[in-house]
Amino acid sequence: MMTSATSYWASRDRTYGSGWCNHYWDATDQPHRRLLVEALRRMALWTSIAEIGCNVGTNLRLIASAFPHARVAGFDVNRVALAYGQDRLDGSFVCADVHHLPLRDESIDVIMSCYALAYVSPTDLPKVIDRLIRVCRIGLVIAEPMVGPEGEVSGGCPEWRHRYLAHLPGRRTTLTTVSPPVDHLNGIVTWEK
């Protein structure tokens, strides 16, 4: 039986025990993480970033190290992961899913998603992307599974492949391929207003 993505990720600690947080925190050498930092270096000057689906904050940890001036915030549905990150990183960690972000329009310079939008259904994706565009002042960084047939992928919870470029206004957009892919994450889209 498939569960919702929110239920699946919110209960990860009950499924995998306590060691998974350490595993995620230590996974700093995956190729997409370096590419995320490089993408942020190419963006217009920014001082605040929020990651959707931040888990324990591994990406935010690397970003804070590369950009010491930055204010970092993370959103996730797993309270154990958020507490783990909050104990190790100077930033704001909030329990929320992508559909209910407690953010005002133009309140954060950059919004980043790393394998979180893959859990948003195709019918909800345009509304979610529109909301993320309104919340950011400078741009979006979207690191997700992007290559392969569009549509639902079977697994422990509903997961989709989307054509993200089709949902972004034709402004300054770049696509970077992640090779080799990490799990199924194989692309990073950077979009600037």
Side-chain angles (χ1 to χ4, degrees), residues 1-160:
M1 175 180 167
M2 268 211 266
T3 61
S4 77
T6 300
S7 298
Y8 176 83
W9 287 105
S11 64
R12 191 164 178 82
D13 49 302
R14 288 191 293 267
T15 306
Y16 293 97
S18 60
W20 70 272
C21 285
N22 292 329
H23 172 75
Y24 272 74
W25 183 256
D26 291 338
T28 57
D29 61 347
Q30 295 171 323
H32 72 287
R33 300 192 197 283
R34 175 183 47 80
L35 294 171
L36 284 170
V37 170
E38 288 175 16
L40 290 167
R41 288 190 196 287
R42 292 189 302 268
M43 292 187 84
L45 184 61
W46 56 273
T47 59
S48 61
I49 186 167
E51 182 179 7
I52 310 308
C54 69
N55 198 283
V56 297
T58 308
N59 290 328
L60 295 174
R61 168 186 176 193
L62 295 173
I63 290 165
S65 177
F67 303 93
H69 68 279
R71 287 187 343 262
V72 299
F75 296 90
D76 202 278
V77 295
N78 189 293
R79 293 181 189 282
V80 171
L82 291 168
Y84 189 96
Q86 187 73 69
D87 287 347
R88 288 161 179 76
L89 188 62
D90 183 23
S92 170
F93 288 79
V94 178
C95 189
D97 72 16
V98 71
H99 300 284
H100 304 98
L101 296 174
L103 295 170
R104 296 179 327 278
D105 288 357
E106 296 195 354
S107 59
I108 301 286
D109 289 339
V110 176
I111 300 288
M112 180 174 71
S113 167
C114 186
Y115 218 132
L117 295 178
Y119 300 104
V120 175
S121 74
T123 56
D124 290 343
L125 187 68
K127 182 172 75 173
V128 168
I129 294 283
D130 182 60
R131 171 89 170 105
L132 296 180
I133 287 170
R134 286 194 330 267
V135 167
C136 73
R137 285 188 289 261
I138 294 174
L140 304 174
V141 176
I142 300 172
E144 299 285 343
M146 295 189 193
V147 177
E150 200 169 6
E152 190 169 358
V153 178
S154 61
C157 64
E159 184 175 328
W160 288 270

